[in-house]
Amino acid sequence: MEVKEQKERLDRWYWAMKYEGKEDADLQKRNIDARLEEFSNPEMKSLYELLVIRYHLMYKDFENAASAFAETGPVEDENHWLNYFYYFFRGIYHYDRKEYRAAIDNYMKAKPLALEITMIELAELYYKLASAYLRTYETALSIEFTKKALEIFKERSHYIRMADCNNLIGINLKDIKQYKEAEHFYHDAVIHATKADDEPLKMRIFHNFGVLYTEQNDPKTAISYLQKVNQCLDKQDEHLKVQNLYLLARNYFKTDQVEKARNHLSEGIILSSGHEDQEYYYHCKLLEAKFLKPDRFESVYIEGIAYYQNHELWEFVYEYGQELASYYRGSEFYQVACEYYDLAINARNNIEKERALSHV
């Protein structure tokens, strides 16, 4: 097999992992593995090994990805095109593990090498950088890199990523409470997802509409979007399914539809109970304790706050810490109430500290 054909096969596999989904990526990998002994070119062998890491990351198999990273490393020539993939995939690894600052550091190492690949890959890097900056509260940088990515994707009529970019800008605008502007970008995202005939992507955007209207205390409109998502999601995206069930339950409680809230909350707890990432398991349990099991309010809140504190999820420590402090104050346990008010204040200080560090 000639080097050109080897590269084309590897490129098809990489494209499938990014845009076509697991089924096609699995097929491409099987086709390559069946003829792997023909991949004699050293650069193609190295590219294959790096793409195996990307394959592990597609399945969130961090253990095998970490082992593969330990066995490889950047090429000695720091400007070699293979180093782009090494640093880019390390960025994805850290991002998926919620190590956002480490993700940005690796993406920035990949950035000078991106032009050695293709413009579409540069846009992909910009999009990933924007996603990481969203997580570190750097709204201006997130929007800036998203718009750079969107410009390249537009030139190539890449509707999936055009939808992703509009969606990401919408999330940023929602976070700074520019709700009307966020709604505009979400609508554009739906248009592009429809052109791409990507129903799962459209459902993720509808979910974000649900978040948007939940934050604006418009539970009826939120429910109308979240119901669409709940009817279409299958268990392949359990994480989004759990988030959606949780938001539905919250909004049903707001509209006094307690039985519907109970059913969705129960399903959310069951789906999330076995996950390694238990962020939404505790959101569901805390909501259940608040509205359905007041006798367990104290113990569940203590456990949930401890989880969020251990994982440095300070926004939730702040939110739930205040709620638990108010509970203790209402029960006249003033000393314990003060302890949780202090915890909430410390969490708020940590949030502000992270935001300040992100702008250094």
Side-chain angles (χ1 to χ4, degrees):
M1 191 189 307
E2 293 183 359
V3 173
K4 182 181 177 183
E5 185 182 350
Q6 294 173 27
K7 182 68 164 57
E8 287 173 351
R9 284 174 175 265
L10 292 170
D11 285 345
R12 283 200 296 273
W13 182 27
Y14 182 39
W15 183 271
M17 285 189 277
K18 288 191 292 185
Y19 307 123
E20 303 296 339
K22 293 175 181 177
E23 186 175 341
D24 193 46
D26 290 342
L27 175 62
Q28 297 294 336
K29 186 177 187 297
R30 286 195 298 272
N31 290 340
I32 290 169
D33 288 348
R35 300 183 64 181
L36 195 56
E37 71 281 356
E38 299 178 41
F39 283 64
S40 56
N41 180 275
E43 288 188 341
M44 294 304 103
K45 282 183 175 180
S46 295
L47 179 56
Y48 171 81
E49 290 169 0
L50 288 166
L51 290 177
V52 167
I53 295 174
R54 182 67 181 87
Y55 183 75
H56 291 319
L57 293 173
M58 182 182 71
Y59 278 101
K60 310 296 185 199
D61 184 353
F62 300 126
E63 185 176 348
N64 277 320
S67 297
F69 273 126
E71 293 174 4
T72 186
V75 177
E76 289 185 9
D77 176 5
E78 64 181 21
N79 294 318
H80 197 286
W81 63 273
L82 282 170
N83 285 340
Y84 167 79
F85 292 104
Y86 175 80
Y87 290 119
F88 185 46
F89 296 164
R90 281 201 75 93
I92 294 172
Y93 170 81
H94 286 295
Y95 180 88
D96 287 348
R97 289 172 60 85
K98 300 186 178 182
E99 299 160 355
Y100 302 119
R101 184 53 58 188
I104 290 169
D105 290 344
N106 279 278
Y107 288 150
M108 292 305 289
K109 289 177 182 176
K111 186 170 172 281
L113 302 165
L115 285 171
E116 298 295 320
I117 315 299
T118 61
M119 285 299 291
I120 202 77
E121 192 63 28
L122 177 64
E124 192 70 23
L125 174 64
Y126 285 159
Y127 174 72
K128 294 291 189 183
L129 257 173
S131 299
Y133 279 128
L134 170 73
R135 299 294 188 169
T136 57
Y137 310 106
E138 296 171 271
T139 303
L141 279 172
S142 183
I143 292 174
E144 176 188 341
F145 277 104
T146 309
K147 287 183 175 179
K148 286 181 178 181
L150 182 58
E151 186 177 342
I152 298 171
F153 289 130
K154 270 184 180 177
E155 290 173 358
R156 287 150 182 81
S157 298
H158 194 319
Y159 294 123
I160 290 175
R161 277 296 189 239
M162 288 167 69
D164 285 331
C165 287
N166 278 284
N167 186 46
L168 187 54
I169 293 171
I171 295 170
N172 272 290
L173 292 169
K174 182 269 299 179
D175 284 351
I176 57 175
K177 304 190 185 306
Q178 293 185 16
Y179 296 124
K180 288 296 181 185
E181 293 85 348
E183 188 174 11
H184 167 76
F185 278 96
Y186 285 154
H187 279 300
D188 282 353
V190 170
I191 290 168
H192 296 310
T194 303
K195 287 180 180 178
D197 194 24
D198 192 326
E199 198 66 18
L201 175 55
K202 194 191 299 185
M203 291 304 106
R204 289 199 297 274
I205 300 161
F206 282 165
H207 173 80
N208 286 337
F209 270 115
V211 175
L212 182 72
Y213 288 112
T214 298
E215 289 197 8
Q216 294 179 85
N217 199 28
D218 183 354
K220 289 184 179 179
T221 308
I223 287 169
S224 70
Y225 278 101
L226 295 168
Q227 279 180 328
K228 291 178 186 177
V229 179
N230 203 52
Q231 290 163 2
C232 295
L233 277 178
D234 57 31
K235 289 189 177 181
Q236 288 185 341
D237 195 346
E238 281 192 359
H239 191 63
L240 181 60
K241 179 85 171 176
V242 170
Q243 291 181 47
N244 204 70
L245 288 165
Y246 164 73
L247 276 182
L248 270 170
R250 270 184 64 180
N251 284 289
Y252 279 131
F253 279 128
K254 285 182 181 179
T255 55
D256 295 323
Q257 299 181 73
V258 176
E259 197 55 36
K260 286 184 177 180
R262 186 196 306 274
N263 292 337
H264 286 89
L265 202 50
S266 176
E267 187 180 353
I269 291 169
I270 292 168
L271 274 178
S272 61
S273 60
H275 286 187
E276 182 181 343
D277 179 0
Q278 292 201 302
E279 177 183 326
Y280 271 84
Y281 170 75
Y282 280 106
H283 283 315
C284 291
K285 292 294 287 183
L286 290 161
L287 191 64
E288 180 186 50
K290 184 176 182 178
F291 287 100
L292 300 175
K293 297 183 178 179
D295 58 313
R296 297 200 59 210
F297 182 91
E298 181 181 1
S299 61
V300 171
Y301 264 66
I302 290 171
E303 183 181 342
I305 290 168
Y307 171 85
Y308 292 125
Q309 192 173 9
N310 289 337
H311 289 78
E312 299 184 358
L313 296 168
W314 301 118
E315 290 188 31
F316 304 133
V317 175
Y318 175 73
E319 176 187 347
Y320 294 124
Q322 282 198 316
E323 288 186 22
L324 185 56
S326 295
Y327 165 82
Y328 281 126
R329 186 182 64 184
S331 302
E332 298 186 355
F333 294 116
Y334 298 117
Q335 184 175 346
V336 186
C338 286
E339 289 174 8
Y340 276 96
Y341 278 128
D342 286 343
L343 180 65
I345 291 167
N346 288 334
R348 172 56 65 186
N349 289 339
N350 281 323
I351 293 168
E352 296 303 325
K353 191 185 298 180
E354 285 182 358
R355 287 177 174 163
L357 285 172
S358 72
H359 290 90
V360 171

